[in-house]
Amino acid sequence: MASNFSGSLTQDSDEVTEMYCEECDRHGDGYATAVAFCVECVDYICVTCQRYHKRQFKTHKIQDSNSMPQDFYFEKCSTHPGQLVKFFCSECNKEACQECKDNDHVNCSDVNHLPTLASDIQKSDELINFSKNMDQLSKDIKDTEKLLNAKSEVIKKQEENATEACKEQSNKLIATYKQHHQDLVDEFDKKMEETIARLKKERLELIQKLSEKERNFEKKVRTAETNMTQEVVKTNTNFKELKFEHLNLVGNLKALIVDIEQAQKLGQNCELFIKLKLAKQMCKHIQVTSDQIQNSYIQRYKLKESDIQQTSQSLEDQTRLFSFNKVHVSDVEKKIAFNCDINHEFGSITSLLVLSEHTLLALDYNNRCSLVIFKLKKSNAECIKETKFKNQPWGITKVSDYKVAVTFPYKEKIRLITFSEEMKVLDITDIPGNGCCFGIAYSNNHLVVSYNFTGSIKILSMSGKIVKSFDKDDNGQNLFAYPRYLTVSPDNTMIYVSDCRTHTVTCLTFDGKVKAIYKDDQLEYPQQLTVDEYGSVYVCGGVSNNIHQLSHDLTKVKILLDKNHGIDTPTSIAYCQHTKRLFVGMYGNGKIKAYNVTLE
């Protein structure tokens, strides 16, 4: 049989009718039918190639179409797709193409042409034995197939039984697992019911216990509230009693006036005489109570808020649920109202002093170098005397009703001046100032004096002897930079000093211990300061153009006066306890302004 290898090298059918020329196929000369076979080259060749082959290889044995191998094998080599498988190596038991033979089997001794080897395969013992073996193998295969079918049935049955058993076991496992979970849930539900029952019982007991505590605590709070209310009510008992007494006196006086008028009409002179004496006595009492009411201080207080973040236990344990802090009278804001201007031809007023409710003293430092005395009236003031000095005076303080002390800084002396009731100078005594003395205050038969240039405060005897001197604090630091003015508290326990370089006011004891320092951005260049009967401190802001009201411990209460009240470079200030008037001297315009001061 031959085959046509034009494209795929094989026909669509397994039947091969002819062989092609390998030489033409190898050189790409197209398809040509093979008519001969070269035994030495192991190639099928066509008529044309046979003619050339005989010329070139004369010794090669050529078989014609009748004698050449007719069992053609058209499989291509898997390693060399362009080569036909034409050989078989018996040593390697492996087929090969020409390139495989030349390369891979060069050392093999039993490599033969495949069609030649296969030419007698039909009559070979190998095929006969193979056929016999195949018959036996076929019988064995049938027997094996029967056994395989039988065993397959057993396996199938086992698989079915195992599947069923697994399914049954799975269902049991899942059911058991779920039942365990359900048991846990049931057990938890039981515990939960028991816990809920117990908690309900405990809750009821807790509510009863807390209700009792709430009743007791509410009773405690209400009692404390009542006690605190009573304590608050008692705070101003004296004023209430005074008010009640005053109203009774006024009522009785009105009744007496009616009786006096009746006695006059009826001509009852004895009755009129007695009633008139009683009325005069009652008028005196009314005047006394009126003065007391005017001068009495209503105690202010502020309830201290409780800490609402406390625990119930801490509230139960707290012994004092309510408390209020009494507000010191010096912490109460003052109301101010303009009273009058006091005009005089001042150069610069350095200090003011209220000697009595009717007398105001002013020091003129620059131009006149004098002590000016004003007689105070309700809504104005009159200059009644002016005492001139040879040197510039600075500070002044009251020693007694008719005696003052004046500092002369650049003469380093202090002058004690005694007046008569008519404010005529009776006596002048000079004592040592112990340096360039400026501010001055009197306390307990001593003089307290400030010294700008040494930054110190000295306490002097009335003869000018130094008793104490303060310039350093406990840490050795300077107490002051430029202490210009000072005053003392109403109870003579504290000294207040203004420092115009550090812009501060310092409160210290008579032992030199600093108690407080006031500094505020709205206080610039503090000058003279004064105190009222309640302990409030008033200080001039010479550059900030205002008057600051401070408490006894130098806490800022308010800015009492400023430019809106006519304040312009204030340097001096004085307070009259009797008339409740504040006098402020201006450095710039030489005026003194008087203001009425009342508690809020």
Side-chain angles (χ1 to χ4, degrees), residues 417-428:
I417 305 173
T418 305
F419 299 97
S420 66
E421 291 186 9
E422 293 79 21
M423 294 306 296
K424 293 181 179 180
V425 177
L426 297 179
D427 182 65
I428 295 178

Side-chain angles (χ1 to χ4, degrees), residues 73-141:
Y73 191 66
F74 296 101
E75 292 296 323
K76 293 285 187 176
C77 178
S78 59
T79 304
H80 308 97
Q83 297 285 329
L84 287 175
V85 175
K86 299 195 294 181
F87 303 96
F88 185 82
C89 177
S90 299
E91 291 184 19
C92 300
N93 198 30
K94 186 176 181 181
E95 58 188 26
C97 67
Q98 186 65 53
E99 288 191 28
C100 289
K101 176 179 177 296
D102 294 340
N103 297 327
D104 299 337
H105 302 276
V106 65
N107 296 322
C108 296
S109 59
D110 194 9
V111 181
N112 298 293
H113 183 237
L114 181 59
T116 302
L117 286 174
S119 61
D120 297 327
I121 190 65
Q122 295 288 346
K123 299 177 181 180
S124 66
D125 293 337
E126 183 181 2
L127 180 60
I128 293 171
N129 292 332
F130 177 77
S131 297
K132 291 179 181 180
N133 291 337
M134 285 301 296
D135 292 340
Q136 183 62 43
L137 180 61
S138 177
K139 180 177 179 301
D140 292 341
I141 288 173

